[in-house]
Amino acid sequence: MEKIILLETSTELCSAALVEDGKVVAYKESTTARSHASLTAVFVDEILKETGTKLSDCSAVCVSKGPGSYTGLRVGVSTAKGLCFGAGLPMLSVGTLDTLVFQAMEEGLVPEGCKAIVPMIDARRMEVYTSVFSPEGKQLTDVEARIIDSESFKDILGEGKVLFIGDGAGKCEGVINSENAVFVQCCPKACAMTRPAVEALKEKRFEDVAYFEPFYLKDFVATVSRKKLF
């Protein structure tokens, strides 16, 4: 009986799930701001207790590898590493954009006649982390940081319906003007990582627990506070 702990902390939504034989048996989430560090491990503990599961009973821990929030990704990966080191479990990872694509398919959000799914993670201003996927979930283009304007994705929009999904989709709705564009503003959820996580475990695509780093795509930019400290 394969059990996988799923952690998704790449955006403002912090979530965790437990999957047993390919089915979600427990799920927790919170949109409370800046709570990832205090809630992620707590969610895992609650899920294990609610299902009567020991950490040692699990087959692996799967974490969102990004792109996304620098701090959020660090919290998720650090938690995953702690669980894996503590129980001697292998670690898996799933791309944030992949999670959004599977979420769209599982929740029935893909419109009829859809030509492409374009997941979007909010970056700065009109920039998003994105890639293009087929309606069946196959990645067609590399992940990139892209500034959105009225010409963005014009080629695929000319072919038919395109689903734009993620926490970066909403801000693009007023810029991408096409009757073929469908926008779903949402955050990736841990439960949507189930299918790719199960596949990764089956194929033994394990990460190096000691050296694994999130896929930030862009370097972290520190800012200086304008408030006077003294």
Side-chain angles (χ1 to χ4, degrees):
M1 186 177 294
E2 294 179 339
K3 298 181 180 181
I4 308 174
I5 296 172
L6 308 177
L7 303 176
E8 220 309 321
T9 59
S10 64
T11 64
E12 66 176 14
L13 178 69
C14 173
S15 61
L18 178 64
V19 170
E20 184 175 313
D21 290 338
K23 296 183 179 180
V24 177
V25 294
Y27 177 72
K28 298 282 184 180
E29 70 171 42
S30 173
T31 55
T32 303
R34 295 181 293 278
S35 64
H36 294 51
S38 61
L39 289 180
T40 306
V42 172
F43 281 169
V44 174
D45 184 58
E46 290 177 349
I47 284 173
L48 293 177
K49 288 179 179 178
E50 288 176 8
T51 58
T53 304
K54 296 180 181 179
L55 184 57
S56 57
D57 295 332
C58 296
S59 303
V61 177
C62 184
V63 65
S64 175
K65 67 179 179 181
S69 159
Y70 180 91
T71 302
L73 291 172
R74 294 297 294 180
V75 169
V77 170
S78 296
T79 303
K81 286 187 175 186
L83 294 171
C84 290
F85 273 125
L89 300 176
M91 187 170 75
L92 310 168
S93 70
V94 174
T96 311
L97 300 180
D98 299 82
T99 299
L100 283 168
V101 171
F102 282 102
Q103 192 166 311
M105 293 190 291
E106 292 170 4
E107 295 184 1
L109 300 174
V110 183
E112 185 176 351
C114 182
K115 297 298 182 181
I117 302 175
V118 180
M120 292 178 159
I121 294 296
D122 191 16
R124 301 185 186 92
R125 299 181 178 86
M126 288 309 298
E127 189 174 34
V128 296
Y129 302 131
T130 188
S131 180
V132 178
F133 289 73
S134 72
E136 297 74 33
K138 180 181 179 181
Q139 187 171 347
L140 304 177
T141 65
D142 293 336
V143 179
E144 63 176 331
R146 183 166 180 170
I147 296 175
I148 303 301
D149 58 31
S150 59
E151 297 297 309
S152 298
F153 306 103
K154 197 171 183 178
D155 51 346
I156 55 174
L157 284 166
E159 299 175 4
K161 295 289 185 182
V162 177
L163 173 65
F164 297 95
I165 182 171
D167 69 345
K171 70 181 185 182
C172 300
E173 189 168 0
V175 179
I176 300 175
N177 298 309
S178 172
E179 59 181 13
N180 284 331
V182 178
F183 298 91
V184 176
Q185 176 77 8
C186 66
C187 293
K189 302 176 182 178
C191 53
M193 299 167 65
T194 299
R195 200 190 316 179
V198 169
E199 291 176 356
L201 178 61
K202 183 179 179 180
E203 297 172 6
K204 296 183 178 181
R205 287 187 273 114
F206 303 136
E207 302 291 356
D208 187 315
V209 178
Y211 296 102
F212 177 78
E213 290 290 333
F215 175 46
Y216 298 117
L217 189 59
K218 294 176 67 175
D219 294 332
F220 174 67
V221 178
T223 58
V224 178
S225 174
R226 295 178 180 275
K227 296 181 180 180
K228 292 183 179 181
L229 300 180
F230 302 99

